[in-house]
Amino acid sequence: MRLSPDELIVWQLGWFKLNGTIVFTWGLMLVLAVGSKLVTRHLSVDLARSRWQNLLEIVIAAIEKQIQEVGLQQPKKYIGFLGTLFLFVAASALCTIIPGYEPPTASLSTTVALALCVFVAVPFFGIAGQGVGGYLKSYAEPTFIMLPFNIISEVSRTLALAVRLFGNMMSGAMIIGILLTITPFLFPIVMTALGLLTGMVQAYIFFILAAVYIAAATRKTKTVPESTPAK
Amino acid sequence: MLIDWFTVGAQTLNFLILVWLMKRFLYKPILNAIDAREKRIAAELADADAKKAEAKKERDEFQHKNETFDKERVALLKTATDAAEVERQKLFGEARTAADALRTKREEALQNEQRNLNQEIIRWTQKEVFAIARKALADLANANLEEHMSEAFVQRLRALSGTAKEQLATALKGSTRPVSVRSALNLPPAQQAAIQKAINETFSADIHIQFETVPDLVGGIELSASGQKVAWSIADYLATLEKSAGELLHKQEKAAVKPEAKANAKPIAKAEPKTNGKPDPKPQTTKSEPKPETKT
């Protein structure tokens, strides 16, 4: 019984090892990239278009709209990072219906990697948005006393991001694994469906939290705080 | 240990590569396609709006043209109707004038015919009357009548006087040929002698006389020489009567034409309301005809 796909070693040369997490991630990357390439190869700007293009347009338009609703006025600037976060997490959860597949997001290494990316992206977009001074000043908001708490919050929320996603994904996979040994009929199917739902919810949560963090970092201090999304 | 830092690094790298791939193959083309489509739709909508506006303008123009056309048509129709009305009145007037003229002509013709017929009847009657008279007198003519006639002729000869007698005398004396005495019947020698005697005595000369028989004289005796004539004959009387009757008839005709010419103007004006064209002038002409007759 593996707790994480990290423990599945495919190939190893000294410190360099190809575990299940990396292999499954590559698989996902391949599917996403090749799928996108195939769909966007014959893009139509007319009113008539292919079903796959229509699907991708719906998904991307929805992501763009969500980013905008969070408060980022130029969604095209952030859709590359935030959209990919959502798509990767969602795709890795969706693929759990494939037998033998283990979601890379069920590995704490992956979730930590994603959380670290967010951890770096927040100040990156923050500084791009309001300059170094402006961004650093936001740590001393509303008073200078809040500086340590803001720094702690920055670190802890990154940790929370990583652990939340890992816990949900790993538990889903674990529950299905345990249930298969106890009641190998019908009930695991229900749990798989439930796992798909939690996977999608987690993808959305991860994406929306990252968006909110970035939005908070890029927002100018003097501007009136915009309303946070309802979700 | 749940965290494998090598895997963390590898996954971070993987994620960044994925971000780049997605940007390259998914977001950019799809967003560009959406933008292009939105632009295209906006352009098409604007174009449609422009076309709609243009169509509205054209429709308004067309409507305006239609209205103008309708107005023009109504005006033209009115003009045409008026012209037709005028033409109708004109034609009607012409037809009426022509009809009136024709009727007048016909009336005149009728009147002429009637007049001619009347005259013909009168002439015929006259002719018949004289023919009857002639026939009756010719039937009555006999020896006794001849005798009376010769006596009457002799009396007339002897009664001659003045210029008539002188003229006749010079004519009788001057004539180289024998003077002819014409009679309807063959005169007996006694009467011839009486006549010879009377002539000789009247003109105091010996005049050579030649007796001729002319049945046309009906009854009577006639002496003529170089245009001068002394006669007593029924034919002479009848000729005189015929002449005077002819003169009377001529006067009558003249009198009949005058009132007709006056009456012609009236019936035209009167006849207008009556479109039936009844021959109402007839009673007027019949009235006018007898008038001169009653005068005689």
Side-chain angles (χ1 to χ4, degrees):
Chain A
M1 186 77 199
R2 289 191 301 275
L3 203 61
S4 156
D6 286 3
E7 292 164 25
L8 177 72
I9 305 298
V10 179
W11 185 74
Q12 192 169 10
L13 184 68
W15 55 271
F16 188 87
K17 54 186 174 188
L18 281 180
N19 54 32
T21 308
I22 294 168
V23 172
F24 286 130
T25 302
W26 283 354
L28 277 174
M29 282 166 70
L30 193 72
V31 168
L32 285 172
V34 171
S36 301
K37 178 66 191 166
L38 283 176
V39 173
T40 57
R41 190 177 46 181
H42 298 298
L43 272 183
S44 160
V45 287
D46 288 332
L47 291 177
R49 53 215 186 250
S50 68
R51 290 172 187 181
W52 285 107
Q53 184 184 343
N54 218 3
L55 175 75
L56 287 186
E57 279 183 14
I58 289 167
V59 170
I60 288 162
I63 292 168
E64 201 179 13
K65 199 181 163 201
Q66 283 298 320
I67 294 168
Q68 206 161 12
E69 279 181 4
V70 165
L72 293 164
Q73 294 307 315
Q74 289 170 296
K76 271 176 195 165
K77 214 160 99 182
Y78 309 102
I79 196 167
F81 178 71
L82 294 172
T84 308
L85 266 183
F86 174 77
L87 284 179
F88 178 67
V89 177
S92 66
L94 270 178
C95 286
T96 49
I97 55 167
I98 299 166
Y101 168 84
E102 284 180 42
T105 43
S107 149
L108 191 59
S109 305
T110 309
T111 58
V112 166
L114 294 179
L116 280 175
C117 284
V118 175
F119 183 74
V120 175
V122 169
F124 176 78
F125 286 121
I127 290 162
Q130 51 185 349
V132 182
Y135 174 72
L136 288 177
K137 210 190 258 178
S138 70
Y139 280 100
E141 294 293 335
T143 58
F144 188 73
I145 304 160
M146 293 300 286
L147 179 65
F149 301 105
N150 278 334
I151 292 165
I152 292 165
S153 140
E154 196 80 2
V155 175
S156 67
R157 76 188 185 192
T158 305
L159 189 67
L161 263 182
V163 173
R164 186 190 299 113
L165 182 61
F166 163 70
N168 275 291
M169 296 314 291
M170 184 269 287
S171 66
M174 288 298 288
I175 287 165
I176 292 163
I178 293 162
L179 282 173
L180 274 172
T181 57
I182 301 165
T183 54
F185 201 61
L186 269 176
F187 202 65
I189 295 172
V190 178
M191 288 312 293
T192 308
L194 195 67
L196 281 176
L197 180 70
T198 48
M200 293 310 292
V201 170
Q202 285 310 311
Y204 180 73
I205 288 168
F206 201 97
F207 153 74
I208 211 79
L209 282 175
V212 169
Y213 298 155
I214 292 169
T218 53
R219 189 182 299 152
K220 297 245 178 1
T221 47
K222 280 181 183 175
T223 55
V224 179
E226 287 171 53
S227 58
T228 49
K231 288 170 188 177
Chain B
M1 185 62 185
L2 283 173
I3 299 173
D4 176 23
W5 288 108
F6 171 76
T7 311
V8 170
Q11 287 296 73
T12 307
L13 190 67
N14 283 340
F15 179 72
L16 291 175
I17 291 166
L18 186 64
V19 168
W20 180 80
L21 284 173
M22 290 286 100
K23 259 190 181 172
R24 171 83 175 73
F25 293 122
L26 187 65
Y27 306 121
K28 254 187 195 169
I30 292 282
L31 287 172
N32 284 345
I34 289 173
D35 284 352
R37 187 178 302 117
E38 277 174 355
K39 265 182 199 167
R40 194 190 165 117
I41 288 168
E44 275 176 5
L45 281 175
D47 191 41
D49 281 348
K51 272 183 183 163
K52 204 172 157 187
E54 199 183 341
K56 194 181 175 297
K57 195 181 145 198
E58 271 177 12
R59 197 190 58 191
D60 287 350
E61 201 177 332
F62 179 74
Q63 232 165 16
H64 180 69
K65 271 185 185 169
N66 246 2
E67 279 169 11
T68 316
F69 176 74
D70 280 350
K71 276 180 193 164
E72 273 176 8
R73 197 185 57 181
V74 167
L76 275 175
L77 202 67
K78 197 176 174 295
T79 314
T81 313
D82 289 351
E85 180 63 25
V86 169
E87 186 67 20
R88 193 179 73 93
Q89 292 291 347
K90 193 182 143 199
L91 284 174
F92 189 66
E94 275 175 8
R96 205 158 49 187
T97 313
D100 286 346
L102 199 68
R103 197 175 51 204
T104 312
K105 212 173 162 187
R106 203 188 58 200
E107 276 165 10
E108 270 174 16
L110 270 172
Q111 280 166 7
N112 277 336
E113 207 178 316
Q114 198 183 11
R115 205 159 49 230
N116 289 342
L117 194 65
N118 282 345
Q119 283 170 7
E120 192 63 33
I121 287 165
I122 287 161
R123 270 192 209 103
W124 185 79
T125 312
Q126 190 191 358
K127 203 177 149 194
E128 282 300 300
V129 165
F130 285 116
I132 288 163
R134 236 179 232 119
K135 184 82 172 46
L137 286 166
D139 287 349
L140 285 173
N142 55 20
N144 289 338
L145 187 66
E146 289 302 312
E147 202 177 324
H148 289 299
M149 282 196 297
S150 64
E151 273 171 26
F153 179 67
V154 168
Q155 274 174 15
R156 178 165 286 198
L157 263 179
R158 289 185 199 282
L160 276 174
S161 60
T163 51
K165 191 181 173 183
E166 281 168 17
Q167 278 174 359
L168 193 62
T170 51
L172 285 170
K173 284 166 188 173
S175 80
T176 50
R177 285 187 302 176
V179 176
S180 71
V181 173
R182 283 186 288 270
S183 62
L185 297 168
N186 217 352
L187 288 169
Q191 279 166 22
Q192 282 183 3
I195 290 164
Q196 176 74 62
K197 195 186 164 191
I199 291 166
N200 288 348
E201 283 172 10
T202 308
F203 300 107
S204 315
D206 188 14
I207 295 161
H208 187 244
I209 298 166
Q210 189 187 353
F211 290 96
E212 289 173 28
T213 308
V214 183
D216 281 355
L217 288 172
V218 183
I221 301 161
E222 188 183 89
L223 168 69
S224 62
S226 311
Q228 298 299 316
K229 192 169 103 177
V230 175
W232 188 96
S233 72
I234 294 167
D236 203 26
Y237 276 126
L238 286 173
T240 314
L241 183 64
E242 207 168 350
K243 197 184 165 192
S244 62
E247 276 174 7
L248 191 68
L249 201 69
H250 193 63
K251 272 185 191 169
Q252 227 174 41
E253 277 175 17
K254 271 188 176 176
V257 171
K258 272 185 181 175
E260 269 172 29
K262 276 181 187 173
N264 271 348
K266 274 186 181 177
I268 293 170
K270 273 187 179 180
E272 222 173 325
K274 288 176 187 175
T275 47
N276 286 349
K278 278 183 182 174
D280 38 13
K282 245 193 176 177
Q284 282 184 346
T285 51
T286 46
K287 265 185 194 172
S288 63
E289 285 275 314
K291 258 191 179 176
E293 275 183 0
T294 49
K295 270 182 187 173
T296 56

